[in-house]
Structures are given as C-alpha cells and as structure tokens.
Amino acid sequence: MGVDEDHDVGRRWFDVADAAPLLLDAEGVVTSWTGSARRLLAYPAAEAVGTGLERLLGREDAARVPQLLARCRTDGGWAGLLTARCRDGRSLRVMARITSAAEVRGPSRWLVLLNEMAEAPGWNMDRQVLEQMVAGSPIGIAIVDTDLRFVWSNAALARFGGGPPAERLGRRLADIQPGLDASAIESRMRRVLASGEPVVGYEHVGRIRSAPHRETAHMMSFTRLDDEYGHPMGVYYTVVDITERHRARQRLALLDMAGRSIGRSLDCARTAQELADIVVPGFADLVTVDLLESVLRGVEPAPVPEGDGAAGVALRRAGHQSVNEGVPEAFVPAGGPVEYLPGSPPLRALASGRSWSRERLDPSTPQWAAEVPGERRATFRELGLHSALIVPLRSRGVTLGLTTFFRGHRKEPFDAGDVSLAEDLVSRAAVCVDNARRYTRERDAALLLQRSLLPRRLPEQDAVTVSACYRPADELTGLGGDWYDLIPLSGARVALVVGEVPGHGIAAAAAMGRLRTAVRTLAALDLSPDEVLAHLDDLVARTASEEGVDPEGAAGEGAGAVGSGCVYVVYDPVDGRCAMAAAGHPAPVVVAPGGAVIFVELPQGPPLGTGGPPFEAVELCLPEGSTLALHTDGLLARRGPGAPDSGRDGLRRALEGTVDSLHLRCRAVVDALAPARPNDDVALLMARTLRLGAGQVAEWEVPADPATVADARRAAAGRLADWGLEELVFTTELVVSELMTNAIRHAAGPIRVRLIRGRALVTEVHDGGATAPHLRHPRTTDEGGRGLLLVSQLTQRWGTRFTDDGKIIWAEQSLSGPEL
C-alpha cells in the first residue's frame, strides 16, 4: 500500500478536514503521510515516511514516545497533548490521539490523529465523550424540543424530581412536576427559542415532588440549540440546587430588616409588636410576644423561678401577629394578661431560659394557655398549627419574656437553622426591649422629679385667673431648666414668677428646683420684686463660690444656677397695682382688656450670680381683665432658616388671637411660636387680673390711742356681720385688739385697719414703725407678751411686710374650713 492508499484508509476512519492523520508501525516509525499532515507540519512525504515519531516532536515529548507506544499496546490507544516540531523549526502544540490500525494492510500498526490546538477544540468531542461528561455531571442537564418536550436528560436531573430520564421522554415539565410553577420556566424557554439569547442565572423558588414539604430554590440557565441551517431545534438547560444559599439570603434579609425595624421607639410594647410584624409571614404564620409585667412597668425584673414556680410569674401579651387578619388564633388580646398551664413548654422555656421547638406538634393537643372560664381550649389541629418554636427574650443575663412562633400555612417545620435564626431575631429584640424598659424607668424617675419641681397645679386665689404651658427641649426625659410659679402673698396679693436655668436635662432641673425653692422662701418675706432678685442674686453667687464655679466663665451643665434668668411680678387685686423686676430675662407682656398688646419697658438686671448693677423695679396699674404673659426666651427663638419670625412680632400676633379660654389661649400661643420639639425649653405663664370689689374691702384710720381699740373692734364686728361672717367675730376682735395694741405701744404715726374678704379673711394693721414684732413665749409669771402668740394660735397664718411709710402686720383666717 502506497502513501495515497494509506491516506484513503485514513479518510475512511477520520475526518481529515479537522485533523491530520498518519500511520506508524509497531516501533513508532512513520509508514504513511497525508496531505493534512504535510500542511500541519510542513514535512513532505519523502522526508516524513521512514522517520521515527520522536523526530517530529519536541525534545521533551520525543523522550516519551517509547512510553506512549507501550501504553498503546497495553490500553489499545492513547490521547493527550504533544509539542510537534515543524520543518522550519517552529514548535506547535497539538492534540494527539493514537489508536490501533490493525485493519490497515501492510506494516502499519498505529493510527495517529493530530489537531492543532489553535484551530481545534482539543479532545475529539464525539458523542461517547459528551455522554460521559453530561451523564456523570452533578448538575441537572436536559434538552427539550421546540414543543418543550423532553428529548434527553441526565441522571442528575432526577434529584430535582420528575423521575429518571426514561420517564421524562416526550413529556413536558408540568406533566412530571405538577406542583411546580412550570409556566414561569416554560415562558423563559419560549423566549430563548424566539430570540436565541441565552438566559443565565434564572432563580426559581417553589416546591418539587422530591421535597414537597420544603421550599427549594434552583438556579437555571437556558440555551437554544440550532441545526446546521440555524433553525432552532430545542433548548438545552441546566439546574443547580441553591436552596441553602437562598435560605441564607432570606435569613440575612430578615436580620437586616429586623435591625432597621425593631427598636425604632423606646416603648416595650411597640418593640414587641415590631418583632411580631417582622417575622410574619416570612418566617412564621403566627407569633406571640409575652413580656413580664415588671418589664412593661420599667422595673428591674426578678429572676424567674425554676420549675412550676414560673406559673406564678405575671406575663402580659405585648404583641402578636398572624397571616390571618385579626389574629383569630390568639387566645389573649394585645395588652391582656397571659397565663400558661404549669409544666407547659412556654413556662419551661421561661424558667430555663433555653429555646424549645417541635417539628411536628400533636394535632390533638390543646393550646398551652390556661382555660378561659366558659370556653374550651382549642387544639392545634383546630387552630391550623403544626410546628412550634419558643425562644425566651433574654438580655444581660435576665429573662424579660418569651416569643412563640407557629407554622400552619407553611408546610415545612422549624429546623435547626430556623431555631438559630429565631434566637438571633429575639436576642436583638430583647436588647431593644431592655433598653426601652430602662428608658421607661429613667423617664418615670425624671418625670417624677419634674413633677416635684414644677407645681402640679397652681393654687387658687382671688388675684388672677392663671394658666401655664411648659415644653422641654429634652423630649426623652421631659426635663429642662425653665420654670414658673404662682405664690400667694399676704393681703390677697400674688407673686408671678418665670425663670430659666442654663442647660437642659437633670442637672438643669436640679438647679431649677433649688432656685424655685429659694424664690418661694424669699417671697414669704414679702419683699419688693427688686429686693427678691437682689437676695436671689447673692444666694446664687455665694453658692457658686462655695462650689468652685467661676461666675465669669460659668456655662453649661456644671454652672448650676449661675447665669439664670428670672422675672418676678407682684399683683395686688385691691387696687390693681403691679410691681415687677427682671434679672437677665424677657420682660412680661400685657394684653389690655381691649386686646392691645403692650411690651413693658422693664430695666434689665444682670443674670443671677454674674454680678452687675442693682436691680430696678417698675410699677404700673392694670385694669381688671388685663392679661399678663410671662415667658422664657425659648418662646421668642427662631424656628430655623426661612421660618417666620418668632420674636416680638410673632408673639404680638399670637397674643392678639381671640380665644375665650385662658388655657386654650396659652396653649395656642406656644403652639404658634414653638415647634413640637424646640431647641430650647419653653415656659409660658398667663394671668388674667381680677379686682376685689369695694364691698370686699373695709379700711379705716384710727388714732394711736388705747381708747380707740374698742371702737376698732366694734367696727370690725359690724363689717363681719355685713359679710355674714359672725362666726369669726370673736377671733377677729381679738386679732384687731392685739395688733392695734402692739402698734400703739411700739410704733408711731397714724394707724390704719383694713379687712379683706376673699378666699380668706385678712386683718391688717398699718403703722409708721420700722421694726418688726417678734413672737414671744412668755413664762406663766409674765404679765404680758402673749398677744402675738394668741394671734398665731387663732389664725391660719400671720406676718409682717414693710411699706414706704411703715409696716403692716397681718393675719389670715380661712373661710373654707369645715365650720363654715
């Protein structure tokens, strides 16, 4: 057989268009050379025939030829990569396949097929090789025709349901996977058939026949198969199970949502409800969150007793949610008390602090709550629940409550991964609940402090009708440094006070409380407004010095009351006179009975404790029905860039509004000028002036003569009779007698007696003396000194106040006692 004959034989065995065949004898010598081999390696047949195969290869592969031939004799052939040496010295990487040539006549023993790697895929990818590749692949692979019917599939696809390959032939996806959303998958196949564009990474989530009780996820890719004319023959697709990755993404998404949604408020019940809302329906079909009652009150929870002792722990339903509208499965309404049966799983989890789960509940078992009188406990079958998971809420080593998860609509039970996820979710919620509990405790304590520092209600009196509004900048604690007060004074007068301490929070509130107490103490001395502020200024400066606070550099939380502002107003309803003074504080505003708004020109004294010129008082007379508005500077602050001016013009417009109720008017002014969350504390005290009628005041002047004391007693008794206060005649006569006698003995000048009938009966004796009387405790042998002692025993209170021309000794008797 010549070269051409061997070439013809090679063509019958191989496709010479894709490969270069040649023949070797048993020793590896070339016995036949083809045109394809010549084109590949450039050797003519005359040079190649009779040459050993090793002379056509690179040095390294040439040394392997004996080994390759030996392997061919043993295995019947060989295939692999070799480096060929071209006639011009170039190296060429080729894919070689050596098989037996026993049927070829002549000395030829081996048939060699060479493919250049730059132009050929390498291995001869015939049907046998391809079938080995796809049949052994762990990836599910299938081919469907243009009608989307299976024409081939590998064994790995059976793991995804639908049976072995033989049972799939000629059937569509919906036929072999009835529970699957086949229409969604087939729509993508049709799109690939129509466009020729492959679809890669399509994720499908559903239930398959091989795992009917669990949701599975698969990633699929679709590629169109064309014939030699480019016409579509079908679709080749692959399937990979990504269920674990899908579930991991779901868990991370749920944890991320929990981090963003749980704990948005510092309220225990709302936080519990946020947890319930997050996990339904993505994780559970029903969830209940029960908290210890002590947690909801903000109290430090006590350790939960072990065993059946946990049955005595008071629980309350803080939140619940269900896939069914209205949570019909809940046996306790939100906010109601919860009682579980002794030994039930919820109480065991509560006592142990460890999670409890059941993949499958006994459907005939009643739910765990204690039986409600008149109602039968429903079974889990009746409630439609089949799997349960209980996780205690624990934070900082303390149990706060428990969360119970149920599944009913979801067929898959809770597994170990679900327990781990639930514990992560509940632990996050537990921290938020504990923070809310601690906040509740601190806020309650702060509010208690605030209520103790600010008046719960302003005292009733005859001088003004009053209303106040307070809005702190610290909305969390409700504490601030602004304050207000109304202090009844002698002679039916009142003191109106508004002040402001620098800073916010507890430190400012504490400083404010000390300042308010000092003002009340000074007010009891019946001093003028400028004198009250002067004493207050000395007190603040002295306290700052004792505490080491520099008045010139004092600022912020550590400054105490240094730099505080205060306005002090005294109003007399007998004659309408009003005296006021200010220390680093806005002056009061007067709204006349006709509605005109008047800003009082009040000299500003320095802030308290900072030193400066003396304080000055201003006195004016107010008509009845005038309204005094005392406020802190937070009411005049601007809201922000572009906001309307909240200064004097804004205050004027707000005060000009017509509202009948003083309380509503006070609230309307604050709402108009201060935002819901102000940057500075806001306090507003509004007082509408009253006047005592002429028939409520009796006044007369008497000579400084002991003989006139009896006349004064009779005059007082007559006026009490006119007022219908005969029961107080004896005491009033005694008070008038003792006070006049004291004035005649120890003072000079004319004496005036005044009776005022308001909420109390006030007896006043005015004289020209400048010394205050003192209460004495005489011995039994003393002949005098009992007058003021009797007055103090028979009246509600008594005292002395100084005027420009002397002093007034006064005494009050209650008109609201049980005897009247």
Side-chain angles (χ1 to χ4, degrees), residues 741-766:
T741 301
N742 187 76
I744 293 171
R745 287 182 179 178
H746 304 288
I751 297 175
R752 293 194 303 272
V753 179
R754 186 168 71 165
L755 299 178
I756 302 174
R757 179 177 63 84
R759 295 179 184 271
L761 176 64
V762 181
T763 303
E764 295 182 344
V765 174
H766 177 276

Side-chain angles (χ1 to χ4, degrees), residues 355-639:
S355 301
W356 178 95
S357 65
R358 282 293 181 273
E359 290 190 2
R360 295 294 172 188
L361 293 168
D362 184 351
S364 62
T365 302
Q367 48 89 3
W368 300 310
E371 187 170 352
V372 178
E375 296 185 12
R376 184 181 65 86
R377 290 192 297 142
T379 64
F380 289 117
R381 178 190 290 111
E382 293 170 336
L383 295 174
L385 306 173
H386 64 80
S387 186
L389 168 59
I390 304 174
V391 181
L393 282 102
R394 290 179 58 81
S395 178
R396 301 177 179 92
V398 177
T399 300
L400 309 175
L402 53 89
T403 304
T404 306
F405 306 88
F406 292 99
R407 284 181 178 171
H409 294 275
R410 295 169 64 99
K411 300 303 181 185
E412 59 269 26
F414 291 110
D415 58 17
D418 293 325
V419 174
S420 176
L421 175 60
E423 290 176 342
D424 284 343
L425 290 169
V426 173
S427 66
R428 295 188 182 202
V431 172
C432 296
V433 168
D434 194 48
N435 289 338
R437 177 192 65 81
R438 291 168 179 262
Y439 164 74
T440 300
R441 180 186 63 189
E442 298 301 327
R443 178 174 171 79
D444 288 346
L447 291 178
L448 180 61
L449 172 63
Q450 185 76 1
R451 285 193 294 267
S452 66
L453 296 177
L454 290 176
R456 290 192 179 183
R457 62 181 183 87
L458 297 173
E460 296 181 354
Q461 30 67 45
D462 299 307
V464 292
T465 302
V466 68
S467 180
C469 182
Y470 176 74
R471 185 169 294 176
D474 190 342
E475 63 171 337
L476 292 181
T477 63
L479 292 175
D482 289 12
W483 55 283
Y484 60 87
D485 208 347
L486 184 147
I487 307 170
L489 302 177
S490 63
R493 299 169 306 132
V494 293
L496 303 170
V497 192
V498 167
E500 181 175 13
V501 173
H504 311 290
I506 294 179
M512 175 267 286
R514 296 166 64 181
L515 201 59
R516 176 173 176 256
T517 301
V519 170
R520 280 187 158 262
T521 302
L522 292 171
L525 300 178
D526 262 327
L527 304 174
S528 63
D530 53 326
E531 290 180 296
V532 169
L533 293 183
H535 285 290
L536 195 61
D537 180 67
D538 291 340
L539 176 63
V540 172
R542 186 169 62 254
T543 302
S545 176
E546 293 172 354
E547 296 178 352
V549 177
D550 182 9
E552 295 183 359
E557 300 295 337
V562 175
S564 300
C566 181
V567 60
Y568 189 90
V569 178
V570 175
Y571 174 70
D572 190 341
V574 175
D575 53 15
R577 287 187 300 172
C578 180
M580 61 185 70
H585 197 279
V589 182
V590 177
V591 183
V597 177
I598 304 168
F599 291 90
V600 179
E601 296 300 328
L602 179 63
Q604 278 293 319
L608 298 174
T610 60
F615 300 99
E616 296 183 45
V618 168
E619 186 173 299
L620 58 154
C621 187
L622 298 179
E624 184 175 9
S626 301
T627 300
L628 277 164
L630 287 70
H631 61 87
T632 57
D633 58 7
L635 192 66
L636 303 180
R638 294 182 64 90
R639 297 192 184 192

Side-chain angles (χ1 to χ4, degrees), residues 671-741:
D671 290 341
L673 299 178
R677 298 178 180 179
N679 295 324
D680 192 10
D681 302 327
V682 175
L684 174 64
L685 178 66
M686 297 186 72
R688 185 173 295 152
T689 61
L690 303 174
R691 282 288 187 93
L692 295 179
Q696 294 180 271
V697 179
E699 185 175 8
W700 60 93
E701 187 171 327
V702 295
D705 184 349
T708 61
V709 173
D711 297 334
R713 286 201 303 266
R714 285 192 294 272
R719 181 49 61 98
L720 291 184
D722 294 340
W723 288 342
L725 300 177
E726 290 83 357
E727 298 88 347
L728 299 181
V729 168
F730 174 77
T731 303
T732 305
E733 286 183 333
L734 178 62
V735 170
V736 169
S737 177
E738 294 298 335
L739 295 184
M740 283 192 61
T741 301

Side-chain angles (χ1 to χ4, degrees), residues 119-372:
E119 300 176 358
W123 286 84
N124 182 27
M125 306 298 284
D126 58 14
R127 180 182 179 88
Q128 180 182 2
V129 174
L130 291 173
E131 286 185 350
Q132 291 180 55
M133 290 173 56
V134 299
S137 173
I139 299 174
I141 304 174
I143 298 175
V144 297
D145 60 17
T146 55
D147 293 328
L148 306 184
R149 297 183 181 277
F150 284 93
V151 296
W152 180 88
S153 62
N154 68 346
L157 193 64
R159 297 200 309 270
F160 303 97
E167 295 183 8
R168 294 174 178 268
L169 294 178
R171 304 172 68 186
R172 291 177 55 173
L173 191 60
D175 300 329
I176 63 173
Q177 292 277 32
L180 197 67
D181 185 9
S183 61
I185 299 175
E186 289 186 345
S187 68
R188 277 151 180 87
M189 292 184 184
R190 291 191 181 93
R191 192 178 308 166
V192 171
L193 282 172
S195 66
E197 295 292 331
V199 174
V200 179
Y202 167 69
E203 294 188 12
H204 181 269
V205 180
R207 288 181 173 83
I208 59 177
R209 293 178 63 180
S210 60
H213 299 301
R214 288 194 178 276
E215 189 177 70
T216 56
H218 305 98
M219 185 169 66
M220 308 178 73
S221 297
F222 307 92
T223 304
R224 190 176 77 178
L225 298 177
D226 297 337
D227 59 16
E228 63 270 20
Y229 301 106
H231 298 153
M233 300 170 52
V235 175
Y236 161 84
Y237 75 86
T238 59
V239 184
V240 179
D241 190 338
I242 59 167
T243 301
E244 290 305 318
R245 186 172 71 183
H246 173 72
R247 297 188 69 185
R249 283 205 310 261
Q250 284 185 318
R251 291 169 179 169
L252 288 175
L254 190 58
L255 289 172
D256 178 66
M257 186 182 300
R260 289 184 283 108
S261 303
I262 298 177
R264 291 177 295 180
S265 69
L266 290 172
D267 181 86
C268 294
R270 183 173 176 182
T271 301
Q273 188 60 48
E274 288 169 348
L275 170 61
D277 293 338
I278 282 295
V279 298
V280 175
F283 180 75
D285 298 321
L286 170 66
V287 61
T288 61
V289 184
D290 303 322
L291 297 179
L292 301 178
E293 285 195 355
S294 57
V295 171
L296 291 170
R297 296 196 309 270
V299 180
E300 191 72 27
V304 177
E306 298 182 1
D308 291 342
V313 176
L315 291 168
R316 193 165 291 273
R317 178 62 45 81
H320 57 206
Q321 189 55 272
S322 169
V323 294
N324 299 312
E325 185 176 358
V327 197
E329 309 94 331
F331 50 86
V332 174
V338 182
E339 183 180 357
Y340 290 106
L341 294 174
S344 61
L347 289 186
R348 292 206 302 268
L350 189 68
S352 66
R354 295 187 295 272
S355 301
W356 178 95
S357 65
R358 282 293 181 273
E359 290 190 2
R360 295 294 172 188
L361 293 168
D362 184 351
S364 62
T365 302
Q367 48 89 3
W368 300 310
E371 187 170 352
V372 178

Side-chain angles (χ1 to χ4, degrees), residues 1-9 23 31-33 49 104-105 108:
M1 180 185 299
V3 174
D4 293 337
E5 183 179 0
D6 287 344
H7 180 265
D8 293 338
V9 173
L23 294 174
T31 59
S32 178
W33 192 254
V49 175
V104 179
R105 295 186 301 274
S108 300

